[in-house]
Amino acid sequence: MDTKSILNDASVRMQKTVEHLDEELLNVRAGKASVNVLNGVMVEYYGSQVPVSGAASVTVPDAKTVLIQPWDKNLIRTIEKAIIDSNIGLTPSNNGESIRLTMPPLTEERRKELVKRVRGEAETARISLRNARRDAVENFKKAQKEGMPEDEAKDGEAQSQKLLEKFSKQLDELVAKKEKEIMTV
């Protein structure tokens, strides 16, 4: 193993961690309407389970409303039931043509809960970043035993620390942005 491959592996793992956190934060509802609120909702469509977006057109006409227009009008009840059963905290209302989900305003208590959840997700991501750095450092120590020069190994360990700092900064920016979004009334 050489320095470049060890650092590249660590960098890829850290990048995936940041991307995963970004996806997780999309699922945290911040009081604004978003099609991501339906990400986990599956509906029976011609004998198979598909996401709501696979059986209907999902749009956001305004900041507080998600509009679902099923391609097959017979699916309205099925989609409505799937949303209720999914426990996302929204009550669907339909007019026979489409389903509307209205986002209730968040209470101060709920906002604080969401911020705690975001921070919990961020801490999990930080642990994952540190694990990637630890594995890189262990690989450098192993490579040193197998003949890598000591100064190259130490330099690689320092570079893996710099990678950790770079990705930690990205992670912190994502979390700060999401917290600001949640706390904005």
Side-chain angles (χ1 to χ4, degrees):
M1 284 198 274
D2 65 329
T3 304
K4 194 174 184 178
S5 66
I6 294 171
L7 289 173
N8 195 28
D9 182 46
S11 178
V12 166
R13 281 182 58 190
M14 289 180 184
Q15 183 63 43
K16 284 183 181 172
T17 298
V18 171
E19 288 169 3
H20 178 72
L21 177 69
D22 197 20
E23 281 179 35
E24 289 298 313
L25 293 182
L26 286 175
N27 294 332
V28 176
R29 193 166 34 116
K32 287 193 204 86
S34 166
V35 295
N36 294 320
V37 78
L38 296 170
N39 279 356
V41 182
M42 301 301 268
V43 65
E44 180 81 24
Y45 186 54
Y46 291 113
S48 61
Q49 291 287 324
V50 296
V52 173
S53 60
S57 165
V58 182
T59 57
V60 181
D62 61 62
K64 297 284 180 198
T65 311
V66 175
L67 183 65
I68 305 163
Q69 295 173 304
W71 296 319
D72 182 352
K73 299 295 180 229
N74 300 330
L75 281 176
I76 286 188
R77 293 262 180 257
T78 312
I79 292 173
E80 207 171 19
K81 184 176 179 345
I83 291 169
I84 292 168
D85 293 347
S86 71
N87 224 358
I88 57 173
L90 298 173
T91 307
S93 61
N94 86 55
N95 61 7
E97 295 275 317
S98 60
I99 299 170
R100 285 188 182 279
L101 299 175
T102 306
M103 300 290 159
L106 294 174
T107 62
E108 189 65 25
E109 187 178 312
R110 181 71 177 132
R111 288 178 194 281
K112 288 178 181 169
E113 270 178 44
L114 288 173
V115 167
K116 272 186 191 170
R117 183 172 152 206
V118 165
R119 288 182 179 160
E121 295 282 351
E123 189 51 39
T124 304
R126 280 189 191 91
I127 290 168
S128 183
L129 289 177
R130 288 193 297 267
N131 287 342
R133 182 209 43 207
R134 184 200 63 218
D135 291 347
V137 168
E138 285 173 5
N139 285 337
F140 278 116
K141 287 181 178 165
K142 204 183 300 174
Q144 185 180 345
K145 286 178 185 169
E146 294 170 3
M148 180 184 275
E150 185 180 344
D151 59 334
E152 188 178 331
K154 293 290 180 202
D155 192 40
E157 289 177 25
Q159 287 178 325
S160 61
Q161 177 63 33
K162 284 181 182 157
L163 274 177
L164 174 74
E165 290 165 5
K166 172 187 157 193
F167 284 104
S168 290
K169 188 174 182 234
Q170 287 180 12
L171 192 140
D172 292 340
E173 288 169 1
L174 280 176
V175 171
K177 182 177 154 197
K178 189 64 177 187
E179 283 182 16
K180 184 174 183 254
E181 183 182 324
I182 290 171
M183 295 312 281
T184 303
V185 180

